[in-house]
Amino acid sequence: MNNSSPTESLISTPVLKERTRETVNIILLAWIAVVESFYIVIILAVILNFFPPQSHADLFRCFNIMLYPNRQLLLYQIFIIGGVIIQVTGWFLLKNQLKDKELSESLSRFLIVDFTCLLILFFVIFKMFVYEFPSLTKYLFYLTLGMSCLLKIFWWKINSWIPKIEEWLRSPPSMGILTRFSDVFLPIFIFVIIFIPDRQGVVAQIFSQDRFHHFDTFAMSPAWAFFKNNILYMDTDSQYGFGMPVLISILSRIVGGISYENILLVLIGLAIIYMILCYFFLKRWLKNIVLAVTGVLLILKFQMFNNSSAEPIIWRFPSTSIIRCLLDIPFFILILNHLERFSRKYLFWAGLWSGLAIFYLTDTGMYLTITYYVYLILLLVLSDLRKIYLNKSTWWLNVGYFTLPILTILSLWGIFVGRHIFQSVFWNNLIDMPRMFMTGYGALPISLFAQEKKFLNFFIAVLMLLGYLFTIIFVGTLCYRKKIGYSNLLVLVIGIYGLGIFHYYVARSSPNSVPVVCIPFVFVICYWINIMCRYGPVFIRNRILPFLCAISVFSLGTTHAFIKYPNILNLTRASFSEAKQTMIKESIPSKDIDLIVRWTKMQEKVCLISSNETAILMKADRRPFLYYFPFLFPRTFKMLDFGGTTLFTSNRLNKILADFEQEKPKYVFIEHKLLGKLPIIYYYRYSVLTALVKYLQQHYDYMEKGEYLMVLKRKS
């Protein structure tokens, strides 16, 4: 017998003893009341903004700096009172329907739509305060606010449409229409937002920011050297790899010749192709068109238009662009085909492609090749697959699969360097930059994110690492235990590749390095979202993907780097007129170009020690002599300034001096300010500069002077 009083029973009874339909509806009403209260405050703030508050405080003038008339307290109070009134009103009007399932569905749909609009409003307000696009953000603000008001007015009609629209979208005919539309629209969308019509303006902006330093190092200098018949890693260094500058050089000639504008056009074209391949790969792999579109939007957001690395155009730092990982999507497609059909030809092509990847770009190629070898090991470890690939009759094929990448890369190097592949100098030059990188050159501390106050990218990087490792361990264990199909091995392969390229972030722990390593992580995220949509609750399955896709569209469209990117839309109407004028004023005069042309022959190697030596030699149409090309960190010609050389080690300095002694270039063209006219501090700080000047003074005589360059002739 229960002797407790009604009051004691009420106090001791849990508030939510069971989740009844009425309780759910009250919770939904409460959240709707909070959301609507925010809307009331926002609308009132917009209205009151036209009537600035007046202050009647009787303060001395010296205290006026502390006076800030505002209505913040009033809005705060209205927010509280409004939420309570809306909740009470909603409960009073709907008290007879609180146990209805239909009301739950209607309230949940309204809450999702209304809350999404509110999130967009908050995001736009954030952009208004942080970035300098008042007209664009105000337009988005009023558009979103107007749409949210129209949704409330016509909700009685929209609510009846949503189930019909959801049912139609899930029907096979609509999926076919949506697929065909996406297959056409998304490539066009990718082209429109990545292609740059005013490439001359972008080139001028890159010049005005860093004098082409990063652009030259990554692509332009080795591409020009290859075009002029220099052998990479014998005549000219290539910091990132062999095949990439070769490919860019060939393609730029196809589109009109070697120039900064054409090289930029090639990079843009390759990025467009890569993004389109990403879409079709995701669609084929996940068999979900909405998720494929969402994945592409996320890659565009975090890779192409990442605010940390774009600044605001990513092509200033092409080494952080998609060009770095250009060959990974075809590799994933080959592995996907192999897992679906288990045809040996796909395994053969995957091995061939991984060898080609090393030739294209050394570090990402190595990680892709390691991924290939791990995949081969998985085929031998998993018992069902071992029966197919490990037997006495096909042992020679297994050996062939393991040696294929090595044979491919050796063959490609042999084709392009010939007999030099058997010389130790080629191999020493080839591993020079990786060896420096492994010793810590160019490394950045992992604490840099705290110094730069860019916490988001750091936590994204940590999430990447955890996501890769968890996926590999979890999926690998399930495949080994035969709990899931072997088709899931592809996400494990992608995770291994992701951990490989994550080395770049670990070594260079800058927020700017996140875009370089983020693409495999987007694929992994899409895989887990796809799993959740397949096996999660029906309510989540039907709504999560459209919601994520909409958020991805909005997030991309409001990204600072996306808005400032000078694509076909050119939202900021950038003309680059100032950058173009700067480039014209500070480019090398024709008098110095003529100096090189008159003193050298067409196919002669030209020893040039100057800022912007790549652009100068391109205008003069001459081959570079110096192995480390570009040789100087560029500075403006008009100032007595010096940025250093790419001779980072004594071995590099000794190599250059040995090249001078061995080949004895007849003429040397050098900025005359370098020969003793710089402030004395530069000669103390840069011992390489002092050594070069001393060598030139001992072995060369002055011949003629241009505006910024002078020509020296070797003493007989």
Side-chain angles (χ1 to χ4, degrees), residues 21-22 25-26 29 87-104 107:
R21 181 63 58 186
E22 182 178 2
N25 287 333
I26 291 174
L29 274 175
Q87 173 69 359
V88 173
T89 304
W91 176 83
F92 180 77
L93 294 175
L94 301 173
K95 61 183 178 180
N96 296 327
Q97 306 174 43
L98 288 177
K99 296 183 179 180
D100 294 346
K101 180 181 179 181
E102 292 76 12
L103 180 63
S104 299
L107 290 177

Side-chain angles (χ1 to χ4, degrees), residues 120-131 137:
I120 294 173
L121 271 176
F122 281 149
F123 196 69
V124 172
I125 293 170
F126 168 76
K127 294 289 183 179
M128 290 172 67
F129 283 112
V130 174
Y131 294 115
T137 49

Side-chain angles (χ1 to χ4, degrees), residues 639-696:
M639 295 181 64
L640 295 179
D641 190 15
F642 183 71
T645 73
T646 52
L647 304 183
F648 307 122
T649 64
S650 58
N651 287 336
R652 287 192 167 199
L653 174 61
N654 293 335
K655 175 178 174 53
I656 290 298
L657 295 179
D659 289 343
F660 270 104
E661 284 300 307
Q662 182 177 352
E663 299 191 33
K664 294 180 171 56
K666 187 175 182 181
Y667 301 107
V668 172
F669 299 86
I670 186 171
E671 284 186 72
H672 51 73
K673 71 178 182 181
L674 301 180
L675 294 177
K677 294 185 178 181
L678 292 174
I680 194 67
I681 186 64
Y682 288 112
Y683 299 98
Y684 282 110
R685 181 177 181 182
Y686 297 102
S687 57
V688 170
L689 176 62
T690 304
L692 283 174
V693 169
K694 183 178 180 180
Y695 180 88
L696 293 175

Side-chain angles (χ1 to χ4, degrees), residues 265-521:
L265 176 61
V266 168
L267 297 180
I268 292 169
L270 292 175
I272 291 171
I273 293 171
Y274 182 89
M275 291 306 308
I276 294 173
L277 280 176
C278 283
Y279 163 71
F280 285 106
F281 164 68
L282 285 171
K283 189 184 79 166
R284 164 86 184 284
W285 176 34
L286 304 175
K287 298 175 176 58
N288 189 312
I289 189 71
V290 179
L291 191 53
V293 172
T294 303
V296 170
L297 293 173
L298 290 174
I299 294 173
L300 289 169
K301 159 75 177 177
F302 291 106
Q303 213 292 325
M304 277 293 299
F305 303 107
N306 191 300
N307 289 330
S308 294
S309 62
E311 296 189 4
I313 301 172
I314 196 171
W315 302 118
R316 178 189 170 188
F317 304 102
S319 62
T320 66
S321 71
I322 289 170
I323 306 304
R324 194 182 188 100
C325 52
L326 195 65
L327 301 188
D328 55 10
I329 297 298
F331 177 81
F332 295 149
I333 293 174
L334 289 169
I335 298 298
L336 176 61
N337 285 334
H338 183 256
L339 287 170
E340 290 180 347
R341 305 173 189 178
F342 288 104
S343 174
R344 292 182 181 273
K345 66 179 180 181
Y346 296 114
L347 202 57
F348 170 81
W349 284 110
L352 197 70
W353 196 261
S354 60
L356 178 63
I358 299 177
F359 176 75
Y360 173 76
L361 208 72
T362 306
D363 63 339
T364 54
M366 288 295 296
Y367 300 135
L368 202 66
T369 302
I370 292 171
T371 304
Y372 168 76
Y373 281 126
V374 172
Y375 181 68
L376 289 181
I377 293 171
L378 287 173
L379 295 180
L380 302 179
V381 169
L382 300 174
S383 58
D384 291 339
L385 300 179
R386 185 168 61 245
K387 295 174 183 177
I388 302 174
Y389 291 97
L390 188 62
N391 53 70
K392 294 181 180 180
S393 61
T394 59
W395 65 268
W396 56 276
L397 280 175
N398 297 325
V399 174
Y401 292 140
F402 277 93
T403 57
L404 191 57
I406 299 173
L407 294 176
T408 301
I409 184 58
L410 289 176
S411 300
L412 288 170
W413 281 334
I415 291 171
F416 284 91
V417 306
R419 58 183 175 80
H420 299 294
I421 196 173
F422 300 107
Q423 298 176 3
S424 61
V425 63
F426 169 76
W427 295 101
N428 286 329
N429 292 340
L430 184 68
I431 65 173
D432 179 51
M433 182 53 68
R435 182 170 50 202
M436 287 179 57
F437 189 76
M438 293 298 293
T439 60
Y441 171 75
L444 296 171
I446 202 165
S447 60
L448 190 64
F449 79 95
Q451 301 171 18
E452 298 185 359
K453 309 301 181 186
K454 295 181 178 178
F455 301 99
L456 178 60
N457 275 7
F458 171 75
F459 290 116
I460 290 175
V462 173
L463 187 62
M464 284 184 195
L465 178 60
L466 298 177
Y468 287 144
L469 194 57
F470 171 79
T471 300
I472 292 170
I473 295 171
F474 184 70
V475 175
T477 302
L478 291 181
C479 285
Y480 183 79
R481 299 288 297 171
K482 302 179 183 178
K483 300 296 183 182
I484 57 175
Y486 289 135
S487 59
N488 293 277
L489 284 175
L490 180 57
V491 74
L492 188 148
V493 168
I494 293 173
I496 292 169
Y497 173 68
L499 283 179
I501 65 173
F502 198 79
H503 281 83
Y504 182 86
Y505 178 82
V506 174
R508 294 183 55 82
S509 301
S510 165
N512 300 342
S513 301
V514 170
V516 181
V517 301
C518 72
I519 294 179
F521 184 67

